């Protein structure tokens, strides 16, 4: 008997209970290793109607060419820089990101690293356990309250970060070329819109929340780092490529910057000999700012809902067309 159920391929980690729920309506091939196995992925996509990815699967025009029945892509996250959007548009493939579902996780990461970097006192556990007492060296940390945070990119995540930062008494300034100076989001979040260079000059903390596009590539390079106060700290949860990593490494080694926290990198994982190796006052995490138990569930649920709605609407449309 011919199986009329539509097929969904999941090529990266997705919450297991949500995958099970999808199986009620669809044939689901979920294999988290597919992102790193392009031949297997191509083979699975030959008869697939939907593909669900995170950020490691490279959805290229060539991959879409080998997936003639594909009509929907779900993205378990927000950035779409791993998906060839023009190629999707040309082929009528709809793309559904999990907008908003991991914003809280990213915003909490920014606040946590802000507090850690400003205070500079949380890296001494091994010394203290060994009986050392670096009290004088660790007595000059800064408080977040009263410090100024510059939020670069004032979209969904940037605004949430601004609200949390205001909650711990920070002043917040923001820069976003797409948002008018009198837009409601500035007063709603208690932030002040500013020109890019002015925001950098004013900041004790700079946090980046822009997409990776041509105009944001190396948005923070040597010239921008030179505008920052020497004690300022920089946090990047947006995308690698937005910061010039060599210039950042150099600024930290030379003590021209207070510290940095990076969750995203130009090359993930980092290659041997990266300019960030051995650099002081640096917190590095492997692209996990948006990943928590709660956000994984929210992201998977939202994307499953969007993909289900789209596939069921396709089915409805083809049944209606057949019966005409
Ligand atoms: P969003 O689209 O809501 O906001 C992005 C904002 O950046 C927009 O308001 C846009 O106008 C602004 N912008 C564009 N170009 C700019 C520029 N040159 N200078 C300043 N602002 C500019 O996106 P979002 O949901 O807030 O997410 C922001 C980014 O965070 C995503 O693109 C994604 O790459 C990244 N992200 C990372 C993680 C993680 O786990 N590390 C998780 C979620 C999102």
């Amino acid at each position: 008997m011919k199986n009329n159920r539509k097929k969904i391929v999941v090529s990266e980690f997705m919450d297991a209970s949500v995958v099970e729920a999808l199986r009620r309506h669809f044939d689901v091939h979920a294999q988290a290793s597919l992102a790193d196995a392009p031949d297997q992925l191509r083979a699975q996509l030959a008869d697939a109607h939907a593909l669900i990815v995170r950020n490691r699967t490279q959805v290229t025009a060539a991959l879409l060419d080998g997936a003639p029945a594909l009509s929907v892509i779900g993205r378990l996250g927000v950035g779409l820089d791993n998906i060839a959007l023009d190629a999707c548009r040309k082929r009528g493939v709809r793309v559904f990101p999990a907008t908003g579902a991991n914003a809280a996780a990213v915003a909490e990461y920014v606040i946590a690293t802000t507090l850690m970097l400003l205070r500079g006192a949380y890296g001494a556990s091994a010394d203290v356990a060994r009986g050392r007492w670096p009290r004088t060296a660790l007595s000059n940390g800064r408080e977040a309250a009263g410090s100024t945070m510059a939020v670069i990119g004032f979209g969904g995540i940037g605004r949430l970060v601004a609200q949390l930062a205001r909650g711990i008494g920070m002043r917040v300034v923001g820069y976003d070329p797409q948002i008018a100076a009198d837009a409601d989001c500035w007063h709603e979040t208690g932030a002040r819109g500013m020109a890019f260079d002015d925001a950098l000059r004013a900041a004790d903390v700079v946090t980046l929340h822009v997409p990776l596009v041509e105009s944001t590539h190396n948005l923070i390079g040597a010239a921008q780092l030179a505008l920052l106060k020497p004690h300022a700290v920089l946090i990047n949860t947006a995308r690698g490529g937005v910061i010039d990593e060599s210039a950042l490494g150099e600024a930290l080694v030379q003590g021209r910057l207070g510290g940095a926290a990076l969750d995203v990198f130009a090359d993930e994982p980092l290659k041997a000999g990266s300019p960030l190796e051995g650099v002081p006052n640096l917190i590095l995490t492997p692209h996990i700012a948006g990943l928590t138990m709660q956000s994984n569930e929210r992201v998977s649920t939202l994307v499953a809902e969007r993909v289900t709605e789209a596939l069921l609407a396709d089915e409805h449309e083809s049944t209606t067309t057949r019966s005409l």
Side-chain angles (χ1 to χ4, degrees), residues 64-311:
L64 295 172
D65 284 341
L70 196 81
S71 63
V72 179
I73 295 175
R75 162 71 172 98
L76 298 159
V78 186
L80 296 175
D81 38 289
N82 58 319
I83 300 177
L85 293 175
D86 276 346
C88 288
R89 258 189 297 275
K90 277 190 199 130
R91 291 161 182 76
V93 174
R94 288 148 295 163
V95 178
F96 296 104
T99 305
N102 59 9
V106 178
E108 287 190 10
Y109 176 104
V110 173
I111 298 301
T113 49
T114 291
L115 296 171
M116 286 172 74
L117 289 167
L118 285 180
R119 193 70 181 256
Y122 305 117
S125 305
D127 277 351
V128 174
R130 245 187 271 134
R132 300 210 181 121
W133 204 244
R135 193 163 184 244
T136 310
L138 301 182
S139 299
N140 295 315
R142 286 170 189 270
E143 292 171 12
S147 298
T148 298
M149 174 182 274
V151 178
I152 308 301
F154 214 65
I157 297 176
R159 289 174 207 190
L160 190 54
V161 168
Q163 281 164 354
L164 296 189
R166 293 281 298 145
I168 54 171
M170 298 189 80
R171 277 191 220 109
V172 180
V173 300
Y175 166 69
D176 192 314
Q178 321 277 350
I179 298 179
D182 59 355
D184 290 344
C185 63
W186 300 120
H187 345 253
E188 281 165 8
T189 53
R192 207 171 121 216
M194 273 193 178
F196 184 43
D197 286 3
D198 292 339
L200 296 182
R201 283 192 194 95
D204 301 297
V205 180
V206 177
T207 181
L208 306 176
H209 300 289
V210 296
L212 178 61
V213 289
E214 224 175 297
S215 63
T216 60
H217 186 252
N218 281 348
L219 184 68
I220 303 286
Q224 291 68 35
L225 290 168
L227 298 176
L228 297 178
K229 296 174 186 169
H231 71 256
V233 303
L234 176 63
I235 300 168
N236 187 14
T237 56
R239 279 290 178 271
V242 169
I243 292 183
D244 176 341
E245 290 170 0
S246 300
L248 174 65
E250 226 166 276
L252 286 167
V253 167
Q254 293 174 0
R256 286 187 280 113
L257 189 68
L262 306 180
D263 184 54
V264 286
F265 306 91
D267 271 322
E268 295 180 4
L270 279 76
K271 300 268 181 328
S274 145
L276 300 171
E277 224 174 307
V279 166
N281 300 321
L282 189 55
I283 297 172
L284 303 180
T285 50
H287 204 144
I288 48 73
L291 300 181
T292 59
M293 304 258 290
Q294 295 96 327
S295 77
N296 283 336
E297 206 182 312
R298 281 195 304 268
V299 162
S300 293
T301 304
L302 179 65
V303 169
E305 280 168 10
R306 294 279 148 80
V307 168
T308 299
E309 275 163 22
L311 289 180

